[in-house]
Amino acid sequence: MHNRLPIAVIMLCAVIFLSGCGEQNILERLGFTHSVTFDQLPDKTDMDNKLLIGISVPRYESMGKGSNREFLSTVAESGKEGKQKLSRQTEFKLVSGQMRNVFWGQDLAKNGVWDQLNAFLNDSTISPRVKVSVVSGSAHDLLMKDFPPHSRTGQYIDRMLEKESNSQTVVNVNLFEFTRDYWDDGIDPITPLIKDNGKEVVIDGIALFDDDRYVARVPPELALILTCLRGNVSQGDLKVKLSGLSHSDEPAILGSIKSKRSVKVTASNPASPLAVTLTIKIKGFIQEYNGDLNTDADKDRKKAERHIERYIEQEAEKIIKTMKKHNADSIGLGKYIRNSMSYDQWKNLNWKEAYTDLKINLNVKVNIVGGGKFLN
Amino acid sequence: MKEKLYPVHVALLIYILQTGVTLFSLPRLLAQHIGYNGWASLFIFSAIAIANILLIGLLHRVGKGKSIFVIIEQSLPKFIAFPLYSILIALWSLIGCLVMKQYVIIFQVFAFPGVHPMFIKALADFLAYALVIKGIYILSKAATNFFFVLFWLLLLLLFFVKEFHFINLTTFVFKDSSDLLMGGLGIYSAFLGYELSILLFPYAEKKGFVKAVITGNLLSTLTYLSVSFVSFGFYSIGQLRRIQFPIFDLLAYIQLPFIERIESLVFAIFLLSALIILSMYMWAAIEASRRIIPKANRKKYIALLFLIAYIVSWIPDTLHEVTRALRLLSFMEMGVAFGLPLFLLLLIIIQKGVKGRA
């Protein structure tokens, strides 16, 4: 019986090692697609619905000399066709396992992104954590351009989005999150918006979607307030103004904020207009305030808190107005409405229609935890 | 070989037998067919399985732990018993082979897409053959070892504590269901595997046998429940309905500082489970066929059965075909799971009646 052990070991080794001969992928011969762009072609005369697809592939062997990335682009009807066409332009075998970013051009995003997204979700080699963003303008041109001293444009944008999302000035949305919100009937997706600013790439705000169509933009100054409306925030610096305090608004920074959002449905009868109360509790440190109030004194601090609350409420109202105007439920109020109803009520409700009539009571509570290390 | 299977071995064997590839699509099946909060229906499915196990337990007690083949042959002539065995042999060997084929085809979504699936399956079949010729004791011990490789994977779910949103669960229960009967049977097939415990009667310790099978079933239920519950809170229901294998995407989402995209790694570990399922169903088929040809050389005989099943499993080619064939077979197997113990109980009652009259 024991003499079978060597045979078993040999078989096991054969299974493990020989399987490596089945399909070979040699690192040096692979082109790791880092970023992909999709644009709708502007010329629609004979190329209706054609896509302009671009990819950026880092090249490691040319470090220091020449370009350290390869940018390929083609026109195709679908992403898969595009991949085949792109493959004909390079000596590398193009693979998608290391993909980090997908950029949609503004025009394509306005027409709907689901077809492109669907192809990505079908590909098992693509990570669900691939970031998605909309480019104000042409995504192709943005990725093609080099932005010295930043070495590779794709990586440069990727790292910027990563860093900025850590400080909550922009949302970081990946394929999974976008798809989750797209298929949820109680919320619409959002993505970061970026643009070419000449010498560098800048974050241009947040793109709001109605289903899979990009419909409105929230400017970068309001991005953090939108994030607070959408969920809890654990860090970030909020630029605020102490509205109506003196002849001009006094600017300040509410730093290291922690914000908690809660939603309460106050009227859930589908026959009459629905209503929700949105409460946001923000705690933070006051920084860079040069106004007349002494925020270290209790009385003035309370006063400052009220003014900041008023400012945030005003700005949040603006965002809500934009969302309602474009029928984008970007903060997911539909989920709460849904959970307050019976299944039949929800199914019979046209949420998108009800959303425009939805009454949203905003309730912002600001708590200044402290100031800087230097007393005013 | 006087050694008996201890209850712990039986429990872990049943767990591995139940927890197969279906796990990877289970949350989708629940979302599609049961609807909102479909994960909660697993309690019902598990209860049905336990009822069936209790039925098997009743047979175990009434038949005093006798082999089912002995019970059959005591009351039925060979010309009735042998066709019955033949059906069971065909059913069990095909289930075993197709489970492995399904595993291989899904595996090729990530790795070795260029290799012929039947080549990989041949390798897996060889491993299973090596297990089966060793007999049920070694098989159950292998299953015990594999259990400790597989069970800790549940800890990966802790990663989703932050990504889990109760609001995604919604307040609706079992709404928006579709194709409830066929879908429900499909979901129930995830629990199959326990029915082979009926063949373990002569090999297992009499004491604690039924409890062990139920424990195995409860462990599988725990696995299914936790995985499905997390899926329902992680995905939106519309999304969950459209993802072929939600558990892959779940695993693909895990990002650790030193590793990510672990879905192919984890799925590779499930080879162990597929291996045990294949081996156990083949073992079951061989148990039945030994009643027909008791004197054949055991190893050659097992090899022949593997070869036949291998050739038959060549026929369904695509994942769709394999899944459909497997679904059909698992429906039949459900019939066997409930029907066989009932039929045997009936035989015993008749036997006792005849004896009582004589």
Side-chain angles (χ1 to χ4, degrees), chain B residues 235-246:
Chain B
Y235 297 107
S236 58
I237 188 151
Q239 184 189 18
L240 189 54
R241 285 196 179 125
R242 283 165 185 87
I243 299 179
Q244 172 97 331
F245 301 110

Side-chain angles (χ1 to χ4, degrees), chain B residues 11-64:
Chain B
L12 300 186
L13 179 67
I14 296 297
Y15 171 77
I16 300 275
L17 253 176
Q18 288 185 305
T19 317
V21 182
T22 321
L23 172 71
F24 286 81
S25 48
L26 186 66
R28 170 178 53 87
L29 294 174
L30 289 167
Q32 275 177 335
H33 300 299
I34 310 292
Y36 287 94
N37 281 313
W39 59 271
S41 68
L42 286 171
F43 287 110
I44 302 168
F45 288 108
S46 182
I48 298 172
I50 289 175
N52 196 347
I53 294 169
L54 290 175
L55 188 67
I56 293 171
L58 185 67
L59 177 70
H60 186 247
R61 179 177 288 185
V62 175
K64 297 192 181 83

Side-chain angles (χ1 to χ4, degrees), chain B residues 153-161 223 226-228 230 250 254:
Chain B
L153 291 174
L154 274 185
L155 291 179
L156 287 174
L157 292 177
L158 288 178
F159 181 85
F160 294 97
V161 170
T223 308
S226 45
V227 162
S228 306
V230 168
L250 209 62
I254 294 177

Side-chain angles (χ1 to χ4, degrees), chain B residues 199-253:
Chain B
L199 294 170
L200 298 176
F201 289 174
Y203 302 99
E205 285 278 352
K206 281 200 182 70
K207 217 176 139 206
F209 175 73
V210 181
K211 264 189 202 156
V213 180
I214 290 177
T215 310
N217 182 60
L218 288 178
L219 281 174
S220 318
T221 312
L222 177 72
T223 308
Y224 290 164
L225 255 178
S226 45
V227 162
S228 306
F229 181 69
V230 168
S231 298
F232 273 79
F234 178 67
Y235 297 107
S236 58
I237 188 151
Q239 184 189 18
L240 189 54
R241 285 196 179 125
R242 283 165 185 87
I243 299 179
Q244 172 97 331
F245 301 110
I247 304 303
F248 284 150
D249 291 48
L250 209 62
L251 291 167
Y253 202 72

Side-chain angles (χ1 to χ4, degrees), chain B residues 142-349:
Chain B
T144 310
N145 284 321
F146 293 171
F147 170 83
F148 291 108
V149 180
L150 283 164
F151 199 70
W152 69 267
L153 291 174
L154 274 185
L155 291 179
L156 287 174
L157 292 177
L158 288 178
F159 181 85
F160 294 97
V161 170
K162 261 181 111 177
E163 310 285 340
F164 183 92
H165 301 290
F166 274 99
I167 194 154
N168 286 348
L169 292 177
T170 74
T171 45
F172 312 142
V173 181
F174 303 165
K175 295 286 181 186
D176 205 8
S177 52
S178 66
D179 201 8
L180 208 54
L181 181 70
M182 292 309 263
L185 288 174
I187 294 163
Y188 189 72
S189 70
F191 284 88
L192 282 181
Y194 64 85
E195 77 284 1
L196 289 189
S197 64
I198 204 169
L199 294 170
L200 298 176
F201 289 174
Y203 302 99
E205 285 278 352
K206 281 200 182 70
K207 217 176 139 206
F209 175 73
V210 181
K211 264 189 202 156
V213 180
I214 290 177
T215 310
N217 182 60
L218 288 178
L219 281 174
S220 318
T221 312
L222 177 72
T223 308
Y224 290 164
L225 255 178
S226 45
V227 162
S228 306
F229 181 69
V230 168
S231 298
F232 273 79
F234 178 67
Y235 297 107
S236 58
I237 188 151
Q239 184 189 18
L240 189 54
R241 285 196 179 125
R242 283 165 185 87
I243 299 179
Q244 172 97 331
F245 301 110
I247 304 303
F248 284 150
D249 291 48
L250 209 62
L251 291 167
Y253 202 72
I254 294 177
Q255 192 180 34
L256 299 169
F258 51 94
I259 195 168
E260 58 179 314
R261 311 292 303 280
I262 55 170
E263 73 273 26
S264 47
L265 189 72
V266 172
F267 193 67
I269 298 176
F270 268 79
L271 172 67
L272 301 176
S273 145
L275 202 60
I276 290 292
I277 296 173
L278 167 62
S279 308
M280 274 305 289
Y281 275 97
M282 287 311 270
W283 174 81
I286 285 150
E287 281 290 292
S289 56
R290 272 174 58 197
R291 308 302 293 199
I292 303 180
I293 325 168
K295 281 179 187 155
N297 178 319
R298 193 165 168 271
K299 274 184 200 166
K300 279 183 191 156
Y301 188 73
I302 294 174
L304 183 72
L305 201 65
F306 262 99
L307 191 69
I308 295 170
Y310 180 78
I311 292 167
V312 176
S313 69
W314 203 296
I315 300 167
D317 219 12
T318 59
L319 181 61
H320 184 69
E321 279 171 15
V322 173
T323 311
R324 210 172 47 187
L326 211 51
R327 216 164 79 137
L328 193 70
L329 289 172
S330 60
F331 290 169
M332 293 186 198
E333 182 67 4
M334 278 173 223
V336 172
F338 282 96
L340 194 62
L342 275 178
F343 175 65
L344 292 173
L345 278 171
L346 200 70
L347 282 186
I348 294 177
I349 293 168

Side-chain angles (χ1 to χ4, degrees), chain B residues 100-114:
Chain B
M100 188 48 96
K101 178 143 187 183
Q102 188 189 31
Y103 175 85
V104 168
I105 294 179
I106 298 174
F107 186 68
Q108 287 194 305
V109 174
F110 315 101
F112 313 119

Side-chain angles (χ1 to χ4, degrees), chain A residues 1 4 11-12 15 19-20 22-23 97 100 124-129 174 176-177 179-181 183-185 335-336 338-344 346-347, chain B residues 36 109-110 112-115 123 126-127 134 159 163 165-168 170-172 175-176 234-236 238-239 242 249 252-255 260-261 263 299:
Chain A
M1 225 162 141
R4 290 216 191 85
M11 284 304 298
L12 199 66
V15 170
S19 52
E23 200 178 298
R100 293 289 187 271
S124 69
T125 61
I126 295 175
S127 163
R129 283 183 177 271
N174 58 37
F176 161 75
E177 288 162 328
T179 320
R180 181 191 61 202
D181 293 347
W183 282 112
D184 197 318
D185 47 6
K335 288 186 179 187
Y336 291 88
R338 181 177 65 198
N339 284 5
S340 71
M341 287 183 172
S342 75
Y343 176 72
D344 293 327
W346 172 252
K347 277 288 139 177
Chain B
Y36 287 94
V109 174
F110 315 101
F112 313 119
V115 183
L123 294 175
F126 185 82
L127 287 173
K134 290 287 181 190
F159 181 85
E163 310 285 340
H165 301 290
F166 274 99
I167 194 154
N168 286 348
T170 74
T171 45
F172 312 142
K175 295 286 181 186
D176 205 8
F234 178 67
Y235 297 107
S236 58
Q239 184 189 18
R242 283 165 185 87
D249 291 48
Y253 202 72
I254 294 177
Q255 192 180 34
E260 58 179 314
R261 311 292 303 280
E263 73 273 26
K299 274 184 200 166

Side-chain angles (χ1 to χ4, degrees), chain B residues 2-11 13 135-141 144 197 199-209 212 280 283:
Chain B
K2 284 269 164 68
E3 194 187 357
K4 294 257 176 188
L5 290 177
Y6 287 110
V8 57
H9 290 143
V10 174
L13 179 67
I136 185 69
Y137 301 103
I138 302 288
L139 244 171
S140 80
K141 273 167 197 165
T144 310
S197 64
L199 294 170
L200 298 176
F201 289 174
Y203 302 99
E205 285 278 352
K206 281 200 182 70
K207 217 176 139 206
F209 175 73
M280 274 305 289
W283 174 81

